Amino acid sequence: MLLIKGGKIHNAIDRESFIADILVKNGKIETIGTDIVAEDATVIDASGKEIYPGFIDAHCHIGLSGLYGVGKDANEVNERNDITSPHLRAIDAIDPTDRCFEFAREAGVTCVCTGPGSLNVLGGTFAAIKTVGKRVDSMAVKTETAMKCAFGENPKNGYLTKTATTRMTTTAILRDILTRAKRYQVQYDAAEGDTSKLPAFDIKLHSLLPVMRGDMPLKAHAHQANDIFTALRIAEEFGLKLTLEHVTEGHLIADELAKTGVYMAVGPSMMGASKYELRNKSWTTPAALVDAGCHVCIITDSPVTGQQYLPICAAFAIRAGLDPFYALKAITINAAEHIGIADRVGSIEKGKDADIVITNGSPFEIATLVEHVIIDGQIVK
């Protein structure tokens, strides 16, 4: 057991913080209250300290791309021999020894959603994992959270064989495989388990079944406004769930995006405009989307921006007009909702995983120190 005494709790649910104790048992938050007594518990005196839920990055490539001190030689993030690879799973390649996990958790980032990059029209599935552990299976919160797809300049210009050279081609490739997956789903479901009636097994189409059934969203890489609308068009055409990733020009179309109800992950913003579709990149994007009524989280796209700078990205968004309480939600509960794991993480509530960060001040101040990090009830810093 672990007992955290007398800290100011920012639970990411209530706007007002409050002073209380937190009792942790078997890796979960057991009780939140005052004057809690627990014999044999390890006690952390948090008097005068700030307590937050573990920070969550809903979109990155940690453990797959740009491994610390290795770089491109260990790049597992894009399959360059097949522009449509929905059958690939991040869980099969993540390297927990990547030092970026250490940097992340020491900064209070306790959970990340990591997976394939954006050169492929379909890249495979992301996984939500904790940032501590030796074996990815035991780190996983959810082994497959979403199916990565990509629009815009990356699949158009970045693929080795130049399979897609226009935005129209990218979308046509995606529409083709989704159409075939829909047909495969109809045949598969109609068989009702009768092996003699099942369609010939196709690992790509089979991997898309959770997407076609609405059990898993497409995780759509889209920076430019027209690409964002194309992603929405495809999702509507096939009746699919969708999350939007990057949303660089979201502030230009915030009123339209607010009508969709689609969850949006904004970032990376701590970088230069390295390509044309980033020319309108702005720290004002989160605030503009939130003000319009959108559901927003903030991401690093690590290693594009270091995982440990997730709270600082939120701080820049605050400086550009984002409400500080919403900024906290954008790297905690909203991020958890974005990747479908809010039942376990993202807020300080009874019954949730004990992923907790204790600081000596606001995480949005660069001089603030992270004094303790707790993941699944274990003190890891």
Side-chain angles (χ1 to χ4, degrees):
M1 284 193 298
L2 176 66
L3 180 58
I4 305 169
K5 294 286 292 182
K8 182 184 288 187
I9 298 172
H10 307 259
N11 62 12
I13 299 297
D14 301 307
R15 178 173 287 274
E16 299 301 322
S17 58
F18 56 93
I19 295 174
D21 306 335
I22 303 172
L23 179 64
V24 174
K25 186 176 181 180
N26 297 324
K28 302 286 186 179
I29 297 173
E30 176 82 5
T31 307
I32 303 170
T34 56
D35 300 320
I36 297 175
V37 177
E39 294 183 6
D40 301 323
T42 299
V43 177
I44 295 177
D45 183 1
S47 301
K49 308 299 182 183
E50 312 290 325
I51 302 176
Y52 298 90
F55 307 135
I56 301 169
D57 194 331
H59 183 113
C60 68
H61 309 288
I62 188 171
L64 292 164
S65 173
L67 305 188
Y68 191 79
V70 180
K72 293 181 180 179
D73 291 340
N75 196 326
E76 298 279 355
V77 77
N78 289 298
E79 172 51 59
R80 290 174 176 262
N81 292 306
D82 191 345
I83 201 167
T84 53
S85 49
H87 53 305
L88 305 185
R89 306 188 311 161
I91 201 78
D92 295 325
I94 295 167
D95 182 359
T97 68
D98 181 4
R99 284 198 67 197
C100 291
F101 285 108
E102 174 189 346
F103 302 147
R105 66 176 176 266
E106 289 193 352
V109 180
T110 58
C111 187
V112 297
C113 191
T114 185
S118 51
L119 291 190
N120 294 15
V121 174
L122 281 172
T125 54
F126 271 57
I129 62 174
K130 300 294 179 76
T131 55
V132 65
K134 297 179 180 179
R135 181 174 178 176
V136 70
D137 305 79
S138 59
M139 298 162 68
V141 179
K142 193 173 184 179
T143 56
E144 293 184 285
T145 63
M147 176 69 67
K148 181 66 177 294
C149 68
F151 299 88
E153 292 183 28
N154 284 17
K156 174 184 171 182
N157 299 326
Y159 200 71
L160 291 179
T161 61
K162 292 292 183 183
T163 304
T165 58
T166 69
R167 283 175 161 82
M168 294 181 292
T169 308
T170 295
T171 309
I173 290 170
L174 181 58
R175 185 175 280 113
D176 173 72
I177 193 169
L178 291 177
T179 299
R180 289 187 285 115
K182 188 67 176 178
R183 185 177 304 148
Y184 183 90
Q185 178 206 353
V186 170
Q187 295 172 337
Y188 189 92
D189 292 347
E192 296 182 332
D194 185 339
T195 55
S196 67
K197 297 179 181 179
L198 288 173
F201 180 72
D202 184 313
I203 191 170
K204 291 186 179 183
L205 302 183
H206 200 82
S207 297
L208 282 167
L209 285 177
V211 176
M212 306 314 295
R213 291 172 175 156
D215 298 328
M216 178 189 295
L218 282 176
K219 192 176 181 70
H221 165 108
H223 288 282
Q224 203 163 278
N226 58 337
D227 294 321
I228 294 169
F229 287 134
T230 297
L232 291 165
R233 185 181 313 114
I234 287 289
E236 182 177 2
E237 181 178 333
F238 288 91
L240 307 179
K241 290 184 178 179
L242 180 78
T243 63
L244 290 170
E245 315 293 313
H246 307 308
V247 202
T248 301
E249 292 190 348
H251 57 289
L252 303 179
I253 52 173
D255 57 337
E256 291 290 333
L257 292 178
K259 300 173 186 177
T260 69
V262 171
Y263 289 1
M264 301 170 204
V266 178
S269 300
M270 195 182 293
M271 58 177 290
S274 57
K275 50 188 175 179
Y276 181 77
E277 63 189 11
L278 301 181
R279 68 197 183 283
N280 290 313
K281 180 175 64 68
S282 172
W283 287 110
T284 65
T285 305
L289 291 170
V290 169
D291 289 348
C294 299
H295 184 287
V296 174
C297 65
I298 291 172
I299 59 173
T300 66
D301 203 23
S302 176
V304 178
T305 299
Q307 203 86 64
Q308 62 270 37
Y309 303 122
L310 179 61
I312 301 304
C313 291
F316 277 113
I318 292 171
R319 191 175 71 175
L322 183 63
D323 175 75
F325 176 61
Y326 204 102
L328 174 62
K329 291 167 70 71
I331 60 171
T332 55
I333 189 63
N334 280 17
E337 291 170 348
H338 189 94
I339 56 180
I341 57 171
D343 59 323
R344 286 189 54 181
V345 297
S347 59
I348 297 177
E349 296 182 89
K350 181 178 179 180
K352 286 199 172 183
D353 293 3
D355 293 356
I356 297 168
V357 179
I358 303 174
T359 70
N360 67 349
S362 168
F364 306 131
E365 297 291 339
I366 196 166
T368 292
L369 298 177
V370 174
E371 298 192 352
H372 293 287
V373 178
I374 298 154
I375 299 179
D376 292 326
Q378 300 298 311
I379 301 172
V380 299
K381 178 182 179 180

